[in-house]
Amino acid sequence: MKPGGIIVENKMFCYQCQETAGCTGCTQSGVCGKKPDVAAMQDLLVYVTKGISAVAVQLRAEGKEVAPAVNHLVTLNLFTTITNANFDKEAIVTRIHATLEVKQELLSQVEHADGLPEAARWTASEPMFAAKAAQVGVLSTGDEDIRSLKSLLLFGMKGMAAYAFHARVLGYEDPSVSSFFYKGLFAVGYDGYAMEDLLPLVMESGKVNLDCMALLDRANRETYGIPAPAQVSMTIEKGPFIVISGHDLHDLEQLLKQTQGTGINIYTHGEMLPAHAYPNLRKYPHLKGNFGTAWQNQQKEFDHIPAPVLFTTNCLMPVKPSYGDRVFTTSVVAYPGMVHIGDGKDFSPVIKKALELGGYDRDVAMTGINGGTTLTTGFGHEAILASAGAVIEGVKNGDISRFFLVGGCDGARPGRNYYTEFVKQAPADSIILTLACGKYRFNDLDLGTVAGLPRLLDMGQCNDAYGAVKVAAALAEAFGCSVNDLPLTLVLSWYEQKAVCILLSLLHLGIKNIYLGPTLPAFVSRGVLNYLVEQFDIHPVSTPEEDIRKILGQQ
Ligand code: FSO
Ligand code: SF4
């Protein structure tokens, strides 16, 4: 309803990220730039993926195997619909066709098809897609609390699919993750479940995601070595260069190999920063440094950039004409009109563009958002636990008063300077662990040291939340207490669906007293919020001053 009582019809409905319109839902066009026709095809892709999952569940109940290719297809479909990844309607339509085709083949193997839901049987050609999409979005679930739990489950699985995908490209798979996708997607599509059926599934998704992040942690380390602390330059050297964004280390490695000896330098962007910590990536001398800050600043930072930018995963923003001829996408990322690099990972169009544009004619020093000139990353769980003795001693003798994990996503909405202020105001004898792109709010600050350790420890990407869990568990063991009794507070910033699955993993571990912001998810209904507050003491963030006082027990 608009002011004046005019009813405005929804052109779409999406409320999966933190920046959703009016903190309730994008109904006319996505705040992220997603158009209604793309939103519709994403809804339909989720619907047909629920359908193929119901068929897979039935086949397994009949004792039949589901091929790994089907697991991959479901993972890819979920990942494709994550925020800020795929804005290309045609690419999504292609995935719907592929899914329907595989599903028909699977359906022919089912003996007892009578109980299958409509999504499992539905098939059509493209002219029918828009009409069907209009009936199958999240609002097709009427009850608010049920819709909320199904959304938590679905969005959490989208995030988990990203991690499963990254592990798989490195050759690591966990069949129990795919089994959970089938079960979870079946549940999201099933009308007969009540709150008490869905809640355990939501919690189970947190457990499965933890296993999935553990698998990716192992995959990254066995492939690229144990991360070690690294100082990363923010100066872009004279000459041709390529900026690589997103989370996919395998894409970065391929690009590094293909640019060896070309005279092109490579700079990470956003969530790719922690790549500098891995020995088997930092060994390439042309992996020079980091360009710019977090994802929401890209339209400003890429303005007339004399280099191509390769997006390997989210977060891609609508591309501006001032750099539109130099954006390349790969994997699940796509944007109409941009060159997409296919699965063969032949990056020669990107390389050609870098040589054509030539880069800057002199070294250009960039700064972080607070004016700092250096970034440090690479404090993975191994590096931190190697200093466990000093940490434990520091806590025991009072040199270290508290740990804060200030982590999660950055974003464009006002209110995110909360995290900068929080870090600035945290006690001088506290240690700040961080991860994911939210750290760009403060990772150029010089916070000094405490007990011989840097006060700010960047643990890596969002998936490295697994490492934070390992550190917390090790500290709890050393102090003979539970994680909830440690002098540790989690202050999380969320934006998209990977943050949802990480939050669910923390809840699965029984971690309480999490501070969550900058706003609560629109898809968490009052009923579900009450449950989360009662069970887990989740706090919405208020002001840094007030929250720090509360955490330190000063009020
Ligand atoms: Fe950020 Fe984007 Fe890593 Fe997200 S770049 S917001 S939670 O994709 O995944 O932290
Ligand atoms: Fe809106 Fe976020 Fe959905 Fe984009 S992803 S349409 S901003 S809710």
Side-chain angles (χ1 to χ4, degrees):
M1 181 101 66
K2 269 196 157 178
I6 303 162
I7 295 191
V8 181
E9 209 176 298
N10 283 2
K11 294 190 182 129
M12 59 184 278
F13 187 81
C14 180
Y15 65 170
Q16 68 179 4
C17 83
Q18 190 269 332
E19 296 194 351
T20 196
C23 286
T24 53
C26 294
T27 59
Q28 304 303 305
S29 190
V31 172
C32 61
K34 184 161 81 180
K35 300 280 182 256
D37 59 342
V38 174
M41 289 308 108
Q42 290 194 357
D43 286 348
L44 192 63
L45 181 57
V46 169
Y47 177 73
V48 299
T49 310
K50 286 182 212 167
I52 200 170
S53 297
V55 176
V57 167
Q58 180 61 29
L59 279 174
R60 288 178 160 193
E62 293 177 7
K64 294 173 186 134
E65 293 238 327
V66 177
V70 183
N71 300 347
H72 302 163
L73 177 143
V74 166
T75 305
L76 189 59
N77 286 0
L78 284 167
F79 189 12
T80 299
T81 64
I82 206 164
T83 295
N84 284 350
N86 201 312
F87 295 83
D88 187 347
K89 183 183 165 197
E90 292 318 312
I92 300 164
V93 166
T94 303
R95 295 226 51 76
I96 295 170
H97 281 302
T99 308
L100 287 173
E101 203 175 302
V102 176
K103 189 194 65 187
Q104 283 311 110
E105 162 59 28
L106 292 182
L107 207 47
S108 69
Q109 300 167 29
V110 171
E111 277 169 51
H112 306 287
D114 315 349
L116 285 175
E118 197 244 11
R121 302 158 185 279
W122 184 81
T123 190
S125 53
E126 198 181 338
M128 308 301 295
F129 283 5
K132 188 66 182 172
Q135 300 164 2
V136 299
V138 286
L139 293 181
S140 60
T141 302
D143 182 276
E144 204 194 349
D145 292 330
I146 298 289
R147 182 164 69 233
S148 177
L149 288 177
K150 286 187 171 182
S151 296
L152 261 177
L153 184 55
L154 174 63
F155 301 158
M157 286 191 292
K158 289 185 180 193
M160 198 194 319
Y163 299 143
F165 180 93
H166 292 310
R168 181 169 63 78
V169 294
L170 298 178
Y172 292 73
E173 281 186 68
D174 179 351
S176 64
V177 172
S178 295
S179 297
F180 185 80
F181 286 155
Y182 294 139
K183 181 163 91 168
L185 281 162
F186 172 80
V188 174
Y190 183 60
D191 289 335
Y193 282 149
M195 295 254 310
E196 53 274 23
D197 303 306
L198 291 166
L199 264 172
L201 276 172
V202 169
M203 288 301 142
E204 188 184 345
S205 73
K207 185 207 171 298
V208 180
N209 181 58
L210 195 64
D211 296 343
C212 188
M213 288 195 297
L215 182 74
L216 180 55
D217 182 89
R218 185 156 68 85
N220 284 340
R221 279 149 176 80
E222 289 179 1
T223 311
Y224 300 118
I226 306 295
Q231 287 263 339
V232 182
S233 166
M234 282 190 279
T235 293
I236 310 303
E237 293 181 18
K238 173 182 167 188
F241 68 99
I242 296 171
V243 173
I244 179 166
S245 190
H247 304 69
D248 200 304
L249 300 180
H250 184 253
D251 284 336
L252 171 61
E253 185 190 24
Q254 300 311 305
L255 183 66
L256 286 166
K257 282 183 177 162
Q258 291 178 32
T259 46
Q260 263 177 318
T262 59
I264 296 171
N265 289 328
I266 307 296
Y267 293 88
T268 55
H269 171 259
E271 273 281 69
M272 203 59 93
L273 168 66
H276 293 275
Y278 289 94
N280 294 342
L281 295 172
R282 70 201 284 181
K283 73 179 182 190
Y284 292 93
H286 60 303
L287 177 61
K288 287 285 182 182
N290 189 70
F291 181 98
T293 55
W295 68 269
Q296 76 280 356
N297 300 323
Q298 66 191 252
Q299 290 175 331
K300 196 168 50 162
E301 292 175 346
F302 294 159
D303 188 34
H304 295 291
I305 181 176
V309 183
L310 173 65
F311 279 90
T312 66
T313 70
N314 51 344
C315 280
L316 171 68
M317 294 177 82
V319 181
K320 297 271 185 204
S322 70
Y323 59 89
D325 63 333
R326 53 204 77 176
V327 167
F328 294 81
T329 61
T330 191
S331 185
V332 297
V333 193
Y335 194 89
M338 302 299 125
V339 177
H340 185 80
I341 307 295
D343 291 345
K345 302 292 175 186
D346 175 2
F347 291 119
S348 33
V350 192
I351 293 168
K352 187 166 167 264
K353 182 60 89 177
L355 294 172
E356 231 171 75
L357 291 167
Y360 296 112
D361 57 7
R362 64 196 188 290
D363 291 358
V364 173
M366 299 182 83
T367 58
I369 69 163
N370 302 290
T373 53
T374 340
L375 302 174
T376 306
T377 189
F379 289 93
H381 51 88
E382 300 88 345
I384 295 180
L385 292 177
S387 304
V391 169
I392 292 163
E393 192 50 37
V395 174
K396 284 189 174 157
N397 67 22
D399 288 347
I400 300 173
S401 66
R402 180 160 279 275
F403 300 89
F404 295 98
L405 174 67
V406 187
C409 327
D410 209 344
R413 274 259 180 87
R416 286 188 182 262
N417 58 351
Y418 168 95
Y419 297 94
T420 317
E421 286 308 312
F422 189 99
V423 166
K424 281 185 181 169
Q425 293 176 29
D429 56 0
S430 63
I431 286 189
I432 315 279
L433 304 170
T434 191
L435 44 86
C437 61
K439 63 175 161 260
Y440 282 99
R441 293 273 161 176
F442 47 79
N443 66 348
D444 61 328
L445 291 171
D446 180 5
L447 297 184
T449 58
V450 62
L453 292 165
R455 279 194 60 223
L456 181 64
L457 301 172
D458 175 12
M459 299 195 72
Q461 295 183 336
C462 41
N463 48 291
D464 292 308
Y466 172 73
V469 166
K470 274 195 98 161
V471 168
L475 288 179
E477 199 185 326
F479 288 108
C481 65
S482 84
V483 169
N484 286 323
D485 295 326
L486 285 172
L488 164 71
T489 307
L490 277 61
V491 185
L492 305 184
S493 52
W494 84 283
Y495 169 59
E496 48 90 347
Q497 297 79 56
K498 284 180 247 179
V500 176
C501 65
I502 292 169
L503 180 67
L504 293 175
S505 292
L506 297 172
L507 299 185
H508 151 74
L509 290 167
I511 294 177
K512 296 190 170 180
N513 265 315
I514 294 172
Y515 285 71
L516 181 64
T519 56
L520 293 177
F523 54 84
V524 172
S525 66
R526 190 161 292 278
V528 172
L529 182 63
N530 287 344
Y531 172 85
L532 294 177
V533 171
E534 260 168 41
Q535 297 293 315
F536 301 102
D537 281 337
I538 289 193
H539 308 271
V541 299
S542 59
T543 63
E545 296 78 8
E546 192 183 324
D547 289 346
I548 288 173
R549 267 202 308 274
K550 221 188 291 172
I551 292 164
L552 300 180
Q554 293 170 344
Q555 60 180 30

